[in-house]
Amino acid sequence: MNILVTGSNGMVGRALVANLKNIRDHKNRTRPMIKVDEIYEYDVDNSFEELSEFCSKADFVFNLAGVNRPKDNAEFMQGNCDFGSKLLDTLKKYDNKAPVMLSSSIQATLIGRYGESDYGKSKLAGEELFFKYGEDNGVKVAVYRFPNLMGHSRPNYNSAVSTFCHAVANDLPFTVNDMNAEVELLYIDDLIEAMYDLLEGKEKHCDYDGLIPVENQNGRYCYVPLTYKVTLGEIVNLLQTFKEQSSTLIMPAIPNGSFAKKLYSLYLSYLPASKFKYTPLMNCDVRGSFTTVLKTMEHGQFSVNISNPGITKGQHWHNSKWELFIVVSGRARIEERNIYTDEKVCFEVSGDKIEVVHMIPGWAHNIINLSDTEPLVTLMWANELFNPHYPDTFFEPV
């Protein structure tokens, strides 16, 4: 399949092209039904001759080209409707009946009902142009009215989320006019998955009840059902929490599929290179070092323990706290003793064979570096955050 993507340098275009290349090059094997041969990228810097050649060869067309921040309002119609007409005329010239996807906007739904804008008018005109083309020529046309999109795009342009992410990540000032204002957001990865569905003929159709898409497989429009309604205040508060992670070491809750998880990924894409790394506090003494590298509110904390040659660490027990020790470099003996029965167990472990050892509540435990020359490096996980006011840690030799 040869795929033409217009507007290929825009936020959606860049992401779609990059992911179609993953399909083409067999890096993404989650969609075996999609076969991609050539990807034709078209944007404002391309010539009409190139567009003509692409239209003669394309088996599927994603029309993402559009204008949303013109210098003159007349450019709305030129970019969002007139170009569409040129594209469709060129496809028709070659009698190319390739399916066509149109990227429209929820702003088109507002026309005649909730208010009007030149942008919305141009999007609505583009929709009708594509629908008529499909009806007159027997071509499949898929029109998507996207809400606000959330992906890596130019800050201070047409995405408040991108503006906030860029400002927070780069310690820049920004303004939120109304923290309670609610927005509906569609994340770029979810949009891409919907485009894969479209290529596989599994797109979801809808009709509109006011501004609300209502799923109907006979509906006129296509839509992406997974969106998030959040306030600007919620977005900004999450971003501030993400920013603090490198100093607090606390990873906020980011459940799979949550808005927070996707916003965090987007936020990280705006970090300057100077913030790609950070240095947690190393607690050092003659025995070696102990460094907590990550904390979570619900799933404990992760630390790296370095023991100098011949050193024994630990020698304590816990009532309820429990831990996992994973030696990643060096050789060690881990000893545990039940403080009530004196039952004792020992494990010899090394970084040559990664093994995980439980430190059991009610069992005193230690870890001994068996080498006379090399440090011992151990990854340690505790099931709860360390609380200096209630450490649940009691000295006891094994």
Side-chain angles (χ1 to χ4, degrees):
M1 179 190 299
N2 298 327
I3 298 177
L4 168 58
V5 180
T6 71
S8 58
N9 288 333
M11 180 188 77
V12 178
R14 288 197 310 271
L16 180 60
V17 167
N19 282 280
L20 287 174
K21 288 178 178 178
N22 285 339
I23 297 285
R24 180 195 65 189
D25 300 338
H26 308 292
K27 297 175 183 177
N28 180 350
R29 300 184 182 183
T30 64
R31 298 283 185 152
M33 298 296 293
I34 304 175
K35 308 297 182 184
V36 178
D37 297 309
E38 298 289 339
I39 303 168
Y40 306 127
E41 302 176 44
Y42 180 87
D43 214 283
V44 292
D45 293 331
N46 292 92
S47 66
F48 176 75
E49 288 72 24
E50 289 174 295
L51 178 64
S52 183
E53 178 185 357
F54 298 158
C55 285
S56 71
K57 299 177 180 179
D59 300 306
F60 199 102
V61 179
F62 289 98
N63 182 36
L64 308 176
V67 173
N68 49 36
R69 291 289 293 271
K71 296 179 180 178
D72 187 294
N73 281 358
E75 296 177 37
F76 278 129
M77 199 62 73
Q78 295 169 8
N80 296 327
C81 187
D82 294 353
F83 172 76
S85 181
K86 181 168 68 171
L87 171 67
L88 299 179
D89 286 345
T90 308
L91 289 168
K92 190 174 180 181
K93 170 186 172 182
Y94 292 103
D95 194 28
N96 187 340
K97 297 187 182 298
V100 180
M101 173 269 181
L102 173 64
S103 170
S104 187
S105 168
I106 196 67
Q107 292 296 318
T109 317
L110 300 175
I111 303 304
R113 298 184 184 183
Y114 304 97
E116 297 194 358
S117 69
D118 290 330
Y119 176 68
K121 289 178 182 177
S122 68
K123 284 297 188 181
L124 184 61
E127 291 178 1
E128 295 304 322
L129 178 71
F130 276 71
F131 281 132
K132 187 174 189 307
Y133 168 80
E135 294 166 1
D136 292 348
N137 297 280
V139 172
K140 178 178 178 177
V141 170
V143 175
Y144 287 78
R145 285 178 167 177
F146 292 135
N148 296 292
L149 300 181
M150 187 173 84
H152 192 94
S153 62
R154 190 192 338 169
N156 303 305
Y157 186 59
N158 67 338
S159 169
V161 179
S162 291
T163 299
F164 297 157
C165 285
H166 177 262
V168 173
N170 291 274
D171 305 312
L172 299 173
F174 63 95
T175 301
V176 182
N177 292 326
D178 183 358
M179 295 284 277
N180 294 315
E182 186 179 72
V183 291
E184 182 179 10
L185 295 166
L186 169 60
Y187 184 55
I188 187 66
D189 286 6
D190 297 323
L191 189 158
I192 297 301
E193 290 297 321
M195 296 304 96
Y196 288 160
D197 287 343
L198 176 60
L199 288 172
E200 292 180 342
K202 300 188 302 187
E203 70 278 6
K204 292 191 178 296
H205 289 260
C206 73
D207 291 313
Y208 279 88
D209 180 9
L211 295 175
I212 308 300
V214 179
E215 186 166 347
N216 175 3
Q217 279 307 108
N218 296 315
R220 193 183 195 203
Y221 294 91
C222 298
Y223 82 118
V224 184
L226 182 55
T227 61
Y228 299 89
K229 290 185 178 181
V230 293
T231 66
L232 298 183
E234 289 172 323
I235 294 171
V236 169
N237 290 337
L238 279 170
L239 291 175
Q240 295 293 352
T241 301
F242 301 159
K243 180 178 182 177
E244 294 166 0
Q245 190 277 325
S246 60
S247 56
T248 65
L249 302 182
I250 296 176
M251 183 62 65
I254 47 174
N256 190 38
S258 67
F259 173 76
K261 183 174 186 289
K262 296 171 183 180
L263 181 65
Y264 206 157
S265 295
L266 181 59
Y267 164 77
L268 290 175
S269 74
Y270 286 93
L271 281 180
S274 60
K275 291 187 178 183
F276 282 13
K277 69 173 185 176
Y278 57 92
T279 305
L281 176 65
M282 293 182 67
N283 298 289
C284 302
D285 58 28
V286 295
R287 300 174 303 160
S289 67
F290 184 85
T291 308
T292 298
V293 295
L294 181 66
K295 299 178 180 180
T296 70
M297 296 305 295
E298 297 180 350
H299 304 292
Q301 65 182 42
F302 298 82
S303 306
V304 175
N305 182 76
I306 300 177
S307 300
N308 289 332
I311 290 296
T312 298
K313 285 191 174 184
Q315 303 287 51
H316 58 239
W317 66 279
H318 314 291
N319 277 309
S320 296
K321 183 186 297 185
W322 57 282
E323 300 163 301
L324 300 175
F325 287 6
I326 307 103
V327 169
V328 295
S329 180
R331 295 186 304 114
R333 183 167 69 248
I334 296 173
E335 301 176 335
E336 299 186 60
R337 178 177 59 84
N338 189 308
I339 65 167
Y340 302 107
T341 68
D342 280 336
E343 179 184 355
K344 188 175 180 180
V345 295
C346 296
F347 306 96
E348 289 204 7
V349 293
S350 80
D352 296 331
K353 180 184 179 182
I354 301 298
E355 297 178 287
V356 181
V357 184
H358 279 92
M359 301 301 111
I360 307 299
W363 289 64
H365 50 270
N366 63 26
I367 183 167
I368 304 166
N369 186 349
L370 296 177
S371 172
D372 293 328
T373 58
E374 299 296 327
L376 172 69
V377 182
T378 308
L379 174 64
M380 297 181 173
W381 174 82
N383 71 313
E384 60 186 40
L385 300 187
F386 178 73
N387 181 350
H389 303 294
Y390 190 77
D392 189 14
T393 302
F394 310 97
F395 175 76
E396 179 80 21
V398 176

